[in-house]
Amino acid sequence: MTRTVRLTVAQALVRFLANQYTERDGARHRLIDATWGIFGHGNVAGLGQALLQYGDDMPFHQGRNEQAMVHAAVGYARQRDRLSTHAVTTSIGPGATNLVTGAALATINHLPVLLLPGDVFATRPADPVLQQLEVPYAGDVSVNDCLRPVSKYFDRIERPERLIPAALQAMRVLTDPVDTGAVTLALPQDVQAEGFDWPEEFFRERVWAVRRPEPDAHELADAVQELTRARRPLVVAGGGVHHSGAEDALKEFAGATRIPVASTQAGKGSLLHDHPADVGGIGHTGTATANELARTADLVIGVGTRYTDFTTASGTLFANPDVRFLNLNVAAFDAHKLSAKPLVADARAGLTALRSEAAGYRAEPAYVAEYTEDKERWEHRVDACFTAEDELVRPTQSQVLGILDELATGDDILINAAGSLPGDLHKLWRARSRDQYHVEYGYSCMGYEIPAALGVALAAPGRPVWALVGDGTYLMLPTEIVTAVQENIPVKVVILQNHGYASIGGLSASVGAEGFATQYRFAGEQGAYAGAPLPVDLAANAASLGMTVHRAKTVRDLREALAAARDATRPTCVYVETETSDTVSGPPPAQAWWDVPVAETAERSAAVKAREEYDRHAAGRRRHL
């Protein structure tokens, strides 16, 4: 006879989650390490009570914004190489719909997170209940259905017994190296509190093996053939290298073959900056070294990359008419992109097999000398951007990064997602460890940085974690500063004040929109502040939320402030107004194109000129068939 235990659905779910583990390479990890939550009707009496009851088994973090809680969980999952993550619970209504942006980010970046939004009554004793969406043509639709297209798995638990198969499917998806992303279990508030006799076996420890699929022998033979006839090969390392933990395998492959390695935003740090084969970022935000190699490459070896438009320069980068592609990817969907020869396998397993089977292949000495010299020239350009001749002037954004570059060791972790910083970081930053560079550029979501820093700091205690934000991003989502203060998570937030959406402002100017509505300007009565920056004090705001704040007006101030922040043991903010004058040189411009369509007909001269430039670049676009 099956032994049972009577628990509510919410209690059963929490107890189940506390006993789920992943295993890869013989190491075991708890899958759901903690739960984030904001309570309201829809989860307070269900999951709220269950998390209180099982507090010793399931750590809890109190959030301030539902989207931010997902970002924190995603930051944690990325730092833990997708082997562990967090769950997020919300009330029904706006609490649930606030999850959508975070869910999209998680799924696009292939990062696991478990979402547990409250839902309307399954039994409908009150219809409609507060915050319920009424859909005249479908009684089974709620606002949680917004999460379906951005979830890798979705279910609504309308009966207690439905939880068992749904929970097991949720764990399957969270631990799948191909299909992972946001997983949503919508929980009607009455069902959460309903008691049920659960089989005790449901609560036993389960270990979910994270697979490392080996390459197919036929595909491997084709890959070796492609490689051995290449004269100008280039590796494009994507986020899959990090997810697989394949950095050492890539290092050995590059060392043996001497093939240069460029990196996407997600793949940066796959090789450390001082490795002879590392040529930096690729694509629209990449280095001149990597992009020139890409333009002349006869074989592009993509490892764990999705080939986004930033990587391919919107189809204009790989310009050699005879270029071929070989894609090593755990996902067949990505391995077949650009009409490539696919090598469907785990990145580490595939690189190891390719190195073994192609033993003896070496890039030609002249090719190695070419990219080595180009890399050295680029490093001189980086040094020039980082260096401030006068310590008593306002720093540029590049100089802010330069001072961080001086301070950072392999322990430091930099987090960014949006604005002009991703471009500057991709081109300029020198990654000193495999996980130092944490730029979310699959969704490039403003507001990701501060909550993600909390997740990363929880996953990597004792390491300096920096959230780099512009003023626009800071205003999007600073709320989790309060959580950092409450739990004394010693994140370091650097606010770069440039009085507007500077990145999109620059893009606006380049596409003929003349920077429209991208600056923060205060009209004021009688024009008191007309044309001037808004009188908003973000440093004071951060201080009011509980952070220790250092204001830096000069390069010298900034160096002292960043050093103090790095040593701080509580949440700390460094606020600096950056120099944006046209007379001051900034980072190197984009080394490759990005397709942002420009008005085909216009009366204003800026748009007419921008369209001419657009047509010139678009003419170089090609489909690789």
Side-chain angles (χ1 to χ4, degrees), residues 77-136:
R78 173 167 166 169
Q79 186 62 30
R80 295 296 305 275
D81 294 331
R82 307 194 300 183
L83 298 172
S84 297
T85 188
H86 288 163
V88 177
T89 178
T90 73
S91 62
I92 74 169
T97 53
N98 280 350
L99 296 173
V100 173
T101 297
L105 181 148
T107 294
I108 285 170
N109 286 286
H110 301 295
L111 293 167
V113 62
L114 178 61
L115 308 180
L116 305 172
D119 211 326
V120 299
F121 285 92
T123 53
R124 309 293 172 87
D127 189 24
V129 70
L130 176 67
Q131 298 176 328
Q132 178 178 338
L133 172 70
E134 292 186 274
V135 181

Short mmCIF file of all heavy atoms in Angstrom, two decimals, residues 77-136:
data_model
loop_
_atom_site.label_atom_id
_atom_site.label_comp_id
_atom_site.label_asym_id
_atom_site.label_seq_id
_atom_site.Cartn_x
_atom_site.Cartn_y
_atom_site.Cartn_z
N ALA A 77 21.23 31.95 -11.60
CA ALA A 77 21.34 30.77 -12.46
C ALA A 77 22.53 30.87 -13.40
O ALA A 77 23.24 29.88 -13.62
CB ALA A 77 20.04 30.58 -13.25
N ARG A 78 22.75 32.05 -13.97
CA ARG A 78 23.89 32.19 -14.88
C ARG A 78 25.20 32.01 -14.12
O ARG A 78 26.12 31.34 -14.62
CB ARG A 78 23.85 33.56 -15.56
CG ARG A 78 25.08 33.85 -16.40
CD ARG A 78 24.90 35.02 -17.31
NE ARG A 78 26.18 35.47 -17.84
CZ ARG A 78 26.31 36.36 -18.84
NH1 ARG A 78 25.25 36.88 -19.40
NH2 ARG A 78 27.51 36.74 -19.24
N GLN A 79 25.29 32.59 -12.93
CA GLN A 79 26.52 32.46 -12.16
C GLN A 79 26.77 31.01 -11.75
O GLN A 79 27.93 30.60 -11.60
CB GLN A 79 26.44 33.36 -10.92
CG GLN A 79 27.73 33.43 -10.12
CD GLN A 79 28.89 34.02 -10.90
OE1 GLN A 79 28.70 34.86 -11.78
NE2 GLN A 79 30.10 33.58 -10.59
N ARG A 80 25.71 30.24 -11.58
CA ARG A 80 25.85 28.84 -11.19
C ARG A 80 25.85 27.90 -12.41
O ARG A 80 25.61 26.70 -12.26
CB ARG A 80 24.71 28.45 -10.24
CG ARG A 80 24.73 29.17 -8.89
CD ARG A 80 25.97 28.83 -8.06
NE ARG A 80 26.11 27.39 -7.89
CZ ARG A 80 25.51 26.68 -6.92
NH1 ARG A 80 24.72 27.31 -6.05
NH2 ARG A 80 25.69 25.38 -6.84
N ASP A 81 26.14 28.44 -13.57
CA ASP A 81 26.25 27.63 -14.80
C ASP A 81 24.99 26.83 -15.08
O ASP A 81 25.05 25.71 -15.62
CB ASP A 81 27.46 26.69 -14.72
CG ASP A 81 28.78 27.45 -14.71
OD1 ASP A 81 28.83 28.55 -15.28
OD2 ASP A 81 29.75 26.94 -14.12
N ARG A 82 23.83 27.37 -14.71
CA ARG A 82 22.52 26.79 -14.97
C ARG A 82 22.27 25.50 -14.19
O ARG A 82 21.27 24.82 -14.42
CB ARG A 82 22.30 26.52 -16.47
CG ARG A 82 22.55 27.72 -17.37
CD ARG A 82 22.01 27.50 -18.77
NE ARG A 82 22.61 26.37 -19.44
CZ ARG A 82 22.35 26.00 -20.68
NH1 ARG A 82 21.48 26.70 -21.41
NH2 ARG A 82 22.92 24.96 -21.24
N LEU A 83 23.13 25.18 -13.25
CA LEU A 83 22.95 23.96 -12.46
C LEU A 83 22.07 24.20 -11.24
O LEU A 83 21.59 23.25 -10.62
CB LEU A 83 24.31 23.41 -12.04
CG LEU A 83 25.22 23.02 -13.21
CD1 LEU A 83 26.61 22.69 -12.71
CD2 LEU A 83 24.64 21.84 -13.98
N SER A 84 21.88 25.45 -10.87
CA SER A 84 20.98 25.84 -9.77
C SER A 84 20.27 27.11 -10.18
O SER A 84 20.80 27.91 -10.96
CB SER A 84 21.76 26.09 -8.48
OG SER A 84 22.41 24.93 -8.02
N THR A 85 19.09 27.33 -9.61
CA THR A 85 18.36 28.55 -9.87
C THR A 85 17.48 28.86 -8.67
O THR A 85 17.58 28.22 -7.63
CB THR A 85 17.52 28.44 -11.17
OG1 THR A 85 16.97 29.72 -11.48
CG2 THR A 85 16.43 27.41 -11.05
N HIS A 86 16.61 29.86 -8.82
CA HIS A 86 15.65 30.23 -7.79
C HIS A 86 14.24 30.15 -8.36
O HIS A 86 14.04 30.19 -9.58
CB HIS A 86 15.91 31.66 -7.31
CG HIS A 86 17.13 31.81 -6.48
ND1 HIS A 86 17.72 33.04 -6.23
CD2 HIS A 86 17.90 30.91 -5.83
CE1 HIS A 86 18.79 32.88 -5.46
NE2 HIS A 86 18.91 31.59 -5.21
N ALA A 87 13.27 30.05 -7.45
CA ALA A 87 11.86 30.16 -7.81
C ALA A 87 11.38 31.57 -7.45
O ALA A 87 11.97 32.25 -6.61
CB ALA A 87 11.03 29.11 -7.08
N VAL A 88 10.29 31.99 -8.10
CA VAL A 88 9.71 33.32 -7.87
C VAL A 88 8.21 33.16 -7.74
O VAL A 88 7.55 32.60 -8.62
CB VAL A 88 10.02 34.28 -9.05
CG1 VAL A 88 9.36 35.63 -8.83
CG2 VAL A 88 11.53 34.44 -9.22
N THR A 89 7.63 33.66 -6.63
CA THR A 89 6.20 33.59 -6.44
C THR A 89 5.59 34.99 -6.38
O THR A 89 6.19 35.91 -5.83
CB THR A 89 5.81 32.80 -5.17
OG1 THR A 89 4.39 32.83 -5.01
CG2 THR A 89 6.45 33.39 -3.92
N THR A 90 4.41 35.13 -6.97
CA THR A 90 3.71 36.42 -6.98
C THR A 90 2.23 36.20 -6.70
O THR A 90 1.71 35.08 -6.77
CB THR A 90 3.83 37.11 -8.35
OG1 THR A 90 2.98 36.43 -9.30
CG2 THR A 90 5.26 37.14 -8.84
N SER A 91 1.55 37.30 -6.45
CA SER A 91 0.09 37.29 -6.33
C SER A 91 -0.52 37.19 -7.73
O SER A 91 0.19 37.11 -8.73
CB SER A 91 -0.38 38.57 -5.65
OG SER A 91 -0.03 39.70 -6.45
N ILE A 92 -1.86 37.21 -7.81
CA ILE A 92 -2.50 37.21 -9.12
C ILE A 92 -2.49 38.63 -9.67
O ILE A 92 -2.07 39.58 -9.01
CB ILE A 92 -3.94 36.66 -9.04
CG1 ILE A 92 -4.90 37.67 -8.39
CG2 ILE A 92 -3.98 35.35 -8.28
CD1 ILE A 92 -6.36 37.27 -8.53
N GLY A 93 -2.94 38.79 -10.90
CA GLY A 93 -3.09 40.13 -11.48
C GLY A 93 -1.78 40.77 -11.85
O GLY A 93 -0.93 40.15 -12.49
N PRO A 94 -1.56 42.03 -11.45
CA PRO A 94 -0.34 42.74 -11.86
C PRO A 94 0.93 42.08 -11.36
O PRO A 94 1.97 42.17 -12.01
CB PRO A 94 -0.53 44.15 -11.27
CG PRO A 94 -1.56 44.00 -10.21
CD PRO A 94 -2.46 42.89 -10.65
N GLY A 95 0.86 41.44 -10.19
CA GLY A 95 2.03 40.73 -9.71
C GLY A 95 2.47 39.66 -10.68
O GLY A 95 3.67 39.45 -10.92
N ALA A 96 1.50 38.97 -11.26
CA ALA A 96 1.81 37.91 -12.21
C ALA A 96 2.28 38.47 -13.55
O ALA A 96 3.27 38.01 -14.12
CB ALA A 96 0.59 37.02 -12.41
N THR A 97 1.58 39.48 -14.07
CA THR A 97 1.97 40.00 -15.39
C THR A 97 3.31 40.72 -15.33
O THR A 97 3.99 40.84 -16.36
CB THR A 97 0.89 40.94 -15.96
OG1 THR A 97 0.58 41.96 -15.00
CG2 THR A 97 -0.36 40.17 -16.29
N ASN A 98 3.71 41.19 -14.18
CA ASN A 98 5.04 41.81 -14.05
C ASN A 98 6.17 40.82 -14.29
O ASN A 98 7.33 41.22 -14.45
CB ASN A 98 5.21 42.44 -12.67
CG ASN A 98 4.54 43.80 -12.57
OD1 ASN A 98 4.09 44.36 -13.55
ND2 ASN A 98 4.46 44.32 -11.35
N LEU A 99 5.85 39.53 -14.32
CA LEU A 99 6.87 38.51 -14.56
C LEU A 99 7.26 38.39 -16.03
O LEU A 99 8.29 37.81 -16.36
CB LEU A 99 6.37 37.14 -14.09
CG LEU A 99 6.09 36.93 -12.61
CD1 LEU A 99 5.44 35.57 -12.40
CD2 LEU A 99 7.36 37.03 -11.79
N VAL A 100 6.44 38.92 -16.93
CA VAL A 100 6.59 38.60 -18.34
C VAL A 100 7.95 39.02 -18.90
O VAL A 100 8.62 38.25 -19.60
CB VAL A 100 5.44 39.21 -19.17
CG1 VAL A 100 5.68 39.01 -20.66
CG2 VAL A 100 4.11 38.58 -18.77
N THR A 101 8.39 40.22 -18.59
CA THR A 101 9.67 40.70 -19.13
C THR A 101 10.83 39.83 -18.64
O THR A 101 11.71 39.45 -19.42
CB THR A 101 9.90 42.17 -18.74
OG1 THR A 101 8.88 42.97 -19.34
CG2 THR A 101 11.26 42.65 -19.20
N GLY A 102 10.82 39.53 -17.35
CA GLY A 102 11.88 38.67 -16.82
C GLY A 102 11.84 37.28 -17.42
O GLY A 102 12.90 36.67 -17.69
N ALA A 103 10.64 36.75 -17.65
CA ALA A 103 10.52 35.43 -18.26
C ALA A 103 11.07 35.43 -19.67
O ALA A 103 11.77 34.50 -20.09
CB ALA A 103 9.06 34.99 -18.25
N ALA A 104 10.76 36.48 -20.43
CA ALA A 104 11.28 36.58 -21.80
C ALA A 104 12.80 36.61 -21.78
O ALA A 104 13.47 35.95 -22.59
CB ALA A 104 10.72 37.81 -22.49
N LEU A 105 13.37 37.38 -20.88
CA LEU A 105 14.83 37.46 -20.77
C LEU A 105 15.42 36.10 -20.48
O LEU A 105 16.42 35.69 -21.09
CB LEU A 105 15.20 38.47 -19.68
CG LEU A 105 16.68 38.72 -19.42
CD1 LEU A 105 16.90 40.16 -18.97
CD2 LEU A 105 17.24 37.78 -18.37
N ALA A 106 14.83 35.37 -19.54
CA ALA A 106 15.36 34.05 -19.17
C ALA A 106 15.30 33.09 -20.34
O ALA A 106 16.28 32.37 -20.63
CB ALA A 106 14.56 33.49 -17.98
N THR A 107 14.18 33.05 -21.04
CA THR A 107 14.01 32.10 -22.13
C THR A 107 14.91 32.45 -23.31
O THR A 107 15.53 31.55 -23.91
CB THR A 107 12.53 32.06 -22.56
OG1 THR A 107 11.77 31.53 -21.45
CG2 THR A 107 12.32 31.20 -23.77
N ILE A 108 15.02 33.71 -23.65
CA ILE A 108 15.88 34.10 -24.76
C ILE A 108 17.34 33.76 -24.49
O ILE A 108 18.08 33.33 -25.37
CB ILE A 108 15.71 35.61 -25.05
CG1 ILE A 108 14.38 35.85 -25.76
CG2 ILE A 108 16.87 36.17 -25.89
CD1 ILE A 108 13.99 37.29 -25.88
N ASN A 109 17.76 33.89 -23.24
CA ASN A 109 19.14 33.60 -22.86
C ASN A 109 19.37 32.15 -22.44
O ASN A 109 20.46 31.81 -22.00
CB ASN A 109 19.56 34.53 -21.72
CG ASN A 109 19.80 35.95 -22.19
OD1 ASN A 109 20.81 36.24 -22.83
ND2 ASN A 109 18.88 36.85 -21.89
N HIS A 110 18.35 31.31 -22.54
CA HIS A 110 18.45 29.90 -22.16
C HIS A 110 18.92 29.74 -20.71
O HIS A 110 19.81 28.94 -20.41
CB HIS A 110 19.41 29.15 -23.10
CG HIS A 110 19.01 29.18 -24.53
ND1 HIS A 110 17.86 28.58 -25.00
CD2 HIS A 110 19.60 29.76 -25.61
CE1 HIS A 110 17.76 28.77 -26.31
NE2 HIS A 110 18.79 29.49 -26.71
N LEU A 111 18.29 30.50 -19.81
CA LEU A 111 18.64 30.45 -18.39
C LEU A 111 17.42 30.01 -17.59
O LEU A 111 16.33 30.55 -17.75
CB LEU A 111 19.14 31.81 -17.91
CG LEU A 111 20.48 32.24 -18.52
CD1 LEU A 111 20.75 33.71 -18.25
CD2 LEU A 111 21.62 31.38 -17.98
N PRO A 112 17.57 29.03 -16.71
CA PRO A 112 16.42 28.46 -16.02
C PRO A 112 15.93 29.31 -14.86
O PRO A 112 16.72 29.84 -14.08
CB PRO A 112 16.96 27.12 -15.50
CG PRO A 112 18.42 27.37 -15.28
CD PRO A 112 18.83 28.33 -16.38
N VAL A 113 14.61 29.45 -14.75
CA VAL A 113 13.99 30.10 -13.60
C VAL A 113 12.58 29.53 -13.47
O VAL A 113 11.91 29.26 -14.48
CB VAL A 113 13.95 31.64 -13.78
CG1 VAL A 113 13.13 32.05 -14.99
CG2 VAL A 113 13.42 32.32 -12.52
N LEU A 114 12.14 29.30 -12.24
CA LEU A 114 10.82 28.73 -11.98
C LEU A 114 9.89 29.82 -11.50
O LEU A 114 10.14 30.45 -10.47
CB LEU A 114 10.92 27.62 -10.93
CG LEU A 114 9.60 26.96 -10.52
CD1 LEU A 114 8.92 26.29 -11.71
CD2 LEU A 114 9.83 25.96 -9.39
N LEU A 115 8.80 30.04 -12.22
CA LEU A 115 7.83 31.08 -11.90
C LEU A 115 6.57 30.44 -11.32
O LEU A 115 6.01 29.52 -11.92
CB LEU A 115 7.48 31.89 -13.15
CG LEU A 115 8.68 32.45 -13.93
CD1 LEU A 115 8.19 33.24 -15.14
CD2 LEU A 115 9.56 33.31 -13.04
N LEU A 116 6.12 30.98 -10.18
CA LEU A 116 4.96 30.43 -9.48
C LEU A 116 3.95 31.54 -9.21
O LEU A 116 3.74 31.96 -8.07
CB LEU A 116 5.41 29.79 -8.15
CG LEU A 116 6.50 28.70 -8.27
CD1 LEU A 116 6.98 28.29 -6.89
CD2 LEU A 116 5.98 27.50 -9.06
N PRO A 117 3.31 32.05 -10.27
CA PRO A 117 2.32 33.12 -10.07
C PRO A 117 1.01 32.58 -9.50
O PRO A 117 0.56 31.48 -9.88
CB PRO A 117 2.12 33.68 -11.49
CG PRO A 117 2.37 32.50 -12.38
CD PRO A 117 3.46 31.71 -11.71
N GLY A 118 0.39 33.35 -8.63
CA GLY A 118 -0.96 33.02 -8.21
C GLY A 118 -1.92 33.16 -9.38
O GLY A 118 -1.64 33.85 -10.37
N ASP A 119 -3.06 32.50 -9.27
CA ASP A 119 -4.04 32.55 -10.34
C ASP A 119 -5.44 32.66 -9.72
O ASP A 119 -5.61 32.50 -8.51
CB ASP A 119 -3.95 31.30 -11.22
CG ASP A 119 -4.32 31.58 -12.67
OD1 ASP A 119 -5.19 32.43 -12.91
OD2 ASP A 119 -3.72 30.95 -13.57
N VAL A 120 -6.44 32.92 -10.55
CA VAL A 120 -7.82 33.08 -10.06
C VAL A 120 -8.34 31.75 -9.53
O VAL A 120 -7.77 30.69 -9.78
CB VAL A 120 -8.73 33.62 -11.16
CG1 VAL A 120 -8.26 34.99 -11.62
CG2 VAL A 120 -8.79 32.66 -12.35
N PHE A 121 -9.44 31.79 -8.80
CA PHE A 121 -10.03 30.57 -8.24
C PHE A 121 -10.32 29.55 -9.33
O PHE A 121 -10.94 29.87 -10.35
CB PHE A 121 -11.34 30.90 -7.52
CG PHE A 121 -11.18 31.59 -6.20
CD1 PHE A 121 -11.17 32.98 -6.12
CD2 PHE A 121 -11.05 30.86 -5.04
CE1 PHE A 121 -11.03 33.62 -4.90
CE2 PHE A 121 -10.91 31.49 -3.81
CZ PHE A 121 -10.90 32.88 -3.74
N ALA A 122 -9.91 28.31 -9.10
CA ALA A 122 -10.27 27.24 -10.01
C ALA A 122 -11.72 26.84 -9.84
O ALA A 122 -12.41 26.47 -10.81
CB ALA A 122 -9.36 26.03 -9.79
N THR A 123 -12.24 26.93 -8.61
CA THR A 123 -13.61 26.51 -8.32
C THR A 123 -14.64 27.61 -8.56
O THR A 123 -15.84 27.37 -8.47
CB THR A 123 -13.71 26.04 -6.86
OG1 THR A 123 -13.19 27.07 -6.00
CG2 THR A 123 -12.89 24.77 -6.65
N ARG A 124 -14.18 28.82 -8.83
CA ARG A 124 -15.01 29.97 -9.17
C ARG A 124 -16.11 30.28 -8.13
O ARG A 124 -17.26 30.51 -8.51
CB ARG A 124 -15.66 29.79 -10.54
CG ARG A 124 -14.70 29.41 -11.66
CD ARG A 124 -13.71 30.53 -11.98
NE ARG A 124 -12.68 30.08 -12.90
CZ ARG A 124 -12.81 30.10 -14.24
NH1 ARG A 124 -13.92 30.54 -14.78
NH2 ARG A 124 -11.84 29.66 -15.00
N PRO A 125 -15.79 30.31 -6.84
CA PRO A 125 -16.83 30.70 -5.88
C PRO A 125 -17.19 32.18 -6.02
O PRO A 125 -18.31 32.58 -5.73
CB PRO A 125 -16.17 30.42 -4.53
CG PRO A 125 -14.71 30.56 -4.79
CD PRO A 125 -14.50 30.05 -6.17
N ALA A 126 -16.21 32.97 -6.45
CA ALA A 126 -16.44 34.37 -6.77
C ALA A 126 -15.91 34.60 -8.18
O ALA A 126 -14.75 34.28 -8.47
CB ALA A 126 -15.72 35.28 -5.78
N ASP A 127 -16.75 35.13 -9.04
CA ASP A 127 -16.35 35.24 -10.44
C ASP A 127 -16.98 36.51 -11.03
O ASP A 127 -18.20 36.55 -11.25
CB ASP A 127 -16.83 34.01 -11.20
CG ASP A 127 -16.28 33.94 -12.62
OD1 ASP A 127 -15.23 34.55 -12.86
OD2 ASP A 127 -16.90 33.27 -13.46
N PRO A 128 -16.24 37.60 -11.23
CA PRO A 128 -14.78 37.67 -11.14
C PRO A 128 -14.30 38.01 -9.73
O PRO A 128 -14.99 38.68 -8.97
CB PRO A 128 -14.44 38.82 -12.09
CG PRO A 128 -15.61 39.74 -11.97
CD PRO A 128 -16.81 38.84 -11.80
N VAL A 129 -13.10 37.55 -9.43
CA VAL A 129 -12.43 37.91 -8.20
C VAL A 129 -11.59 39.15 -8.47
O VAL A 129 -11.33 39.50 -9.63
CB VAL A 129 -11.56 36.72 -7.71
CG1 VAL A 129 -10.37 36.52 -8.63
CG2 VAL A 129 -11.12 36.93 -6.27
N LEU A 130 -11.17 39.83 -7.43
CA LEU A 130 -10.33 41.01 -7.58
C LEU A 130 -9.13 40.72 -8.49
O LEU A 130 -8.44 39.73 -8.30
CB LEU A 130 -9.84 41.48 -6.19
CG LEU A 130 -8.86 42.67 -6.17
CD1 LEU A 130 -9.56 43.93 -6.65
CD2 LEU A 130 -8.29 42.86 -4.76
N GLN A 131 -8.90 41.57 -9.48
CA GLN A 131 -7.78 41.51 -10.42
C GLN A 131 -7.95 40.43 -11.49
O GLN A 131 -7.02 40.15 -12.24
CB GLN A 131 -6.43 41.32 -9.69
CG GLN A 131 -6.11 42.48 -8.75
CD GLN A 131 -4.84 42.25 -7.95
OE1 GLN A 131 -4.50 41.12 -7.59
NE2 GLN A 131 -4.14 43.33 -7.65
N GLN A 132 -9.13 39.84 -11.60
CA GLN A 132 -9.35 38.80 -12.61
C GLN A 132 -9.66 39.43 -13.96
O GLN A 132 -10.44 40.36 -14.08
CB GLN A 132 -10.50 37.89 -12.18
CG GLN A 132 -10.84 36.80 -13.20
CD GLN A 132 -11.96 35.90 -12.73
OE1 GLN A 132 -12.23 35.80 -11.53
NE2 GLN A 132 -12.63 35.24 -13.67
N LEU A 133 -9.04 38.88 -14.98
CA LEU A 133 -9.36 39.24 -16.36
C LEU A 133 -10.55 38.40 -16.82
O LEU A 133 -10.52 37.17 -16.74
CB LEU A 133 -8.16 38.97 -17.26
CG LEU A 133 -8.38 39.12 -18.77
CD1 LEU A 133 -8.58 40.58 -19.15
CD2 LEU A 133 -7.22 38.51 -19.55
N GLU A 134 -11.60 39.07 -17.30
CA GLU A 134 -12.74 38.35 -17.85
C GLU A 134 -12.64 38.32 -19.37
O GLU A 134 -12.53 39.37 -20.02
CB GLU A 134 -14.05 39.02 -17.44
CG GLU A 134 -14.35 38.92 -15.95
CD GLU A 134 -15.73 39.47 -15.63
OE1 GLU A 134 -15.83 40.70 -15.43
OE2 GLU A 134 -16.70 38.68 -15.60
N VAL A 135 -12.66 37.13 -19.92
CA VAL A 135 -12.59 36.95 -21.36
C VAL A 135 -13.90 36.30 -21.81
O VAL A 135 -14.15 35.13 -21.52
CB VAL A 135 -11.39 36.06 -21.75
CG1 VAL A 135 -11.31 35.90 -23.26
CG2 VAL A 135 -10.10 36.66 -21.21
N PRO A 136 -14.75 37.04 -22.49
CA PRO A 136 -16.09 36.52 -22.80
C PRO A 136 -16.08 35.24 -23.62
O PRO A 136 -17.00 34.43 -23.50
CB PRO A 136 -16.73 37.67 -23.60
CG PRO A 136 -16.02 38.90 -23.12
CD PRO A 136 -14.62 38.47 -22.87
#
